[in-house]
C-alpha cells in the first residue's frame, strides 16, 4: 500500500488512524464480550497491531481515492498481507478471526422462489397462470481455511481456537451441546451449526501439503494464511484455480 494514508511520512500517524477505525469494529467488541479479550502489549510490541489486524475483518479499511486502479477507489480492502514479525500476538488474532468469521460472518445467497400471485392470472394472456419468480435471501455458514506453512503450525492455531472456546461460556455450552463439532482426522476441522442457516460454517486447519493439496479443487469464503512467507510455491500454484464464494462479503 503506497498511496493515500500510506504515503504519510509519520508512521505513528498511520497506525493511529487505522487503530481509531479498528477500535470501533464489531470484531473487537465481540472478542471482548466472548473472551474478555482486548489488544495488549506482547513482548514490548504495542497492541495496535492486533487491533488493526482484526479490524480488517469488518471491511473498515478502504482503498484511497488516489489508488491507481480506479475501480477499487473508495471500496473496502479485501486482501491483507501483514508483516508484523514474531511475538506480536498473531496466533491469537488468527484464532479469534477464524471463530468470528465462522460465527458472525455468514454468507448471503440469493435463490429463485416460485410463488402464485392470483392477481396476475391472465395478465399476459389466457395461459398466464399467475406463477412468478422472486429472489429470496438465505444465510449459510462460511467455509474457512486456516492454512499454515507446516501442519504442526496449523495445529497450533487449532489448539488456540480450542483455548478460546474454553474462555466463552456460550461457545463452551455450544460445544457440549454438539452445536459445535470437532473432527481431528485427516486434519482438524470445526463445524458450527446455527439455527436458520442452510449450511453450517466450517473451519479447516491445514498444512500446505507437498503439492498444495490443502487447496486443490476447493472453494472457500475466507482464507487465512499463517507464515505465508514459508509456504512452498506449490501451495500458491494450487491456490490459483480456487475461488472465493463470498463475493462482496469475502
Amino acid at each position: 500500500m503506497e498511496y493515500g494514508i500510506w504515503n504519510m511520512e509519520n508512521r505513528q500517524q498511520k497506525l493511529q488512524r487505522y487503530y481509531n477505525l479498528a477500535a470501533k469494529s464489531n470484531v473487537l467488541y465481540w472478542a471482548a464480550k466472548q473472551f474478555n479479550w482486548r489488544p495488549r502489549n506482547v513482548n514490548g510490541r504495542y497492541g495496535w497491531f492486533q487491533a488493526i489486524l482484526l479490524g480488517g475483518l469488518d471491511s473498515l479499511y478502504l482503498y484511497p481515492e488516489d489508488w491507481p486502479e480506479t475501480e477499487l477507489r473508495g471500496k473496502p480492502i479485501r486482501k491483507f498481507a501483514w508483516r508484523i514479525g514474531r511475538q506480536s500476538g498473531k496466533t491469537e488474532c488468527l484464532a479469534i478471526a477464524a471463530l468470528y468469521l465462522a460465527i458472525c460472518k455468514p454468507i448471503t445467497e440469493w435463490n429463485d422462489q416460485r410463488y402464485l400471485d392470483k392477481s396476475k392470472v391472465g395478465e399476459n394472456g389466457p395461459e398466464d397462470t399467475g406463477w412468478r419468480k422472486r429472489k429470496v435471501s438465505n444465510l449459510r455458514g462460511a467455509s474457512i481455511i486456516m492454512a499454515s506453512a507446516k501442519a504442526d503450525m496449523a495445529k497450533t492455531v487449532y489448539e488456540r481456537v480450542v483455548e478460546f472456546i474454553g474462555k466463552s461460556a456460550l461457545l463452551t455450552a455450544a460445544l457440549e451441546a454438539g452445536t459445535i463439532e470437532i473432527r481431528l482426522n485427516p486434519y482438524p476441522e470445526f463445524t458450527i451449526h446455527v439455527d436458520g442457516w442452510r449450511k453450517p460454517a466450517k473451519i479447516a486447519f491445514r498444512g500446505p501439503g507437498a503439492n498444495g493439496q490443502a487447496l486443490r479443487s476447493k472453494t472457500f469464503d475466507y482464507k487465512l494464511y499463517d507464515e505465508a512467507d514459508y509456504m512452498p510455491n506449490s501451495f500458491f500454484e494450487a491456490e490459483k484455480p480456487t475461488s472465493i464464494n463470498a463475493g462482496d462479503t469475502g
Side-chain angles (χ1 to χ4, degrees):
M1 297 180 182
E2 299 295 339
Y3 296 86
I5 186 69
W6 294 95
N7 263 341
M8 297 168 63
E9 294 183 2
N10 189 329
R11 180 170 178 267
Q12 200 79 356
Q13 194 175 1
K14 296 178 190 178
L15 290 172
Q16 185 67 58
R17 163 91 178 249
Y18 278 80
Y19 174 78
N20 290 343
L21 288 173
K24 302 174 184 178
S25 65
N26 290 331
V27 61
L28 289 192
Y29 172 80
W30 181 82
K33 183 178 180 180
Q34 289 293 333
F35 316 117
N36 195 29
W37 183 91
R38 290 172 177 80
R40 56 187 173 81
N41 290 345
V42 180
N43 288 357
R45 297 176 184 269
Y46 197 61
W48 276 357
F49 292 105
Q50 299 168 4
I52 292 171
L53 190 155
L54 288 171
L57 302 179
D58 283 328
S59 303
L60 296 174
Y61 313 135
L62 307 179
Y63 285 99
E65 294 301 330
D66 59 347
W67 192 258
E69 298 176 53
T70 56
E71 70 275 11
L72 294 177
R73 292 175 183 173
K75 293 184 178 179
I77 299 172
R78 303 295 186 190
K79 299 179 181 180
F80 297 90
W82 295 104
R83 190 175 185 180
I84 55 178
R86 300 180 62 81
Q87 303 303 320
S88 55
K90 173 174 55 67
T91 302
E92 65 184 57
C93 285
L94 286 170
I96 292 170
L99 285 170
Y100 180 71
L101 292 173
I103 296 169
C104 302
K105 291 285 186 178
I107 307 304
T108 301
E109 292 182 327
W110 292 91
N111 305 102
D112 289 329
Q113 180 187 72
R114 294 182 75 244
Y115 70 101
L116 177 62
D117 187 339
K118 294 183 179 180
S119 68
K120 302 293 185 181
V121 174
E123 182 178 67
N124 298 311
E127 296 182 354
D128 188 343
T129 60
W131 283 95
R132 299 289 187 269
K133 287 184 179 179
R134 58 187 170 194
K135 293 287 186 181
V136 295
S137 63
N138 295 286
L139 294 178
R140 64 169 175 80
S143 176
I144 303 160
I145 183 170
M146 171 66 74
S148 195
K150 295 180 180 179
D152 58 345
M153 293 180 183
K155 185 180 179 182
T156 297
V157 181
Y158 158 77
E159 290 171 349
R160 187 61 66 89
V161 171
V162 173
E163 181 182 323
F164 271 107
I165 289 176
K167 294 179 179 180
S168 167
L170 182 64
L171 298 185
T172 298
L175 184 63
E176 293 173 351
T179 304
I180 297 177
E181 300 176 287
I182 299 177
R183 183 188 73 178
L184 296 178
N185 293 308
Y187 51 84
E189 183 178 75
F190 284 94
T191 301
I192 301 175
H193 301 268
V194 176
D195 288 342
W197 290 5
R198 295 185 66 185
K199 296 180 180 178
K202 289 184 178 290
I203 311 172
F205 300 83
R206 306 292 303 271
N211 298 305
Q213 60 262 38
L215 282 181
R216 199 174 300 279
S217 302
K218 304 290 185 181
T219 56
F220 300 99
D221 299 299
Y222 302 109
K223 301 176 180 180
L224 304 175
Y225 300 156
D226 184 26
E227 304 286 1
D229 280 354
Y230 302 101
M231 293 283 196
N233 289 335
S234 58
F235 178 87
F236 295 104
E237 288 296 320
E239 191 213 33
K240 288 179 182 178
T242 70
S243 63
I244 288 184
N245 292 325
D248 289 341
T249 65

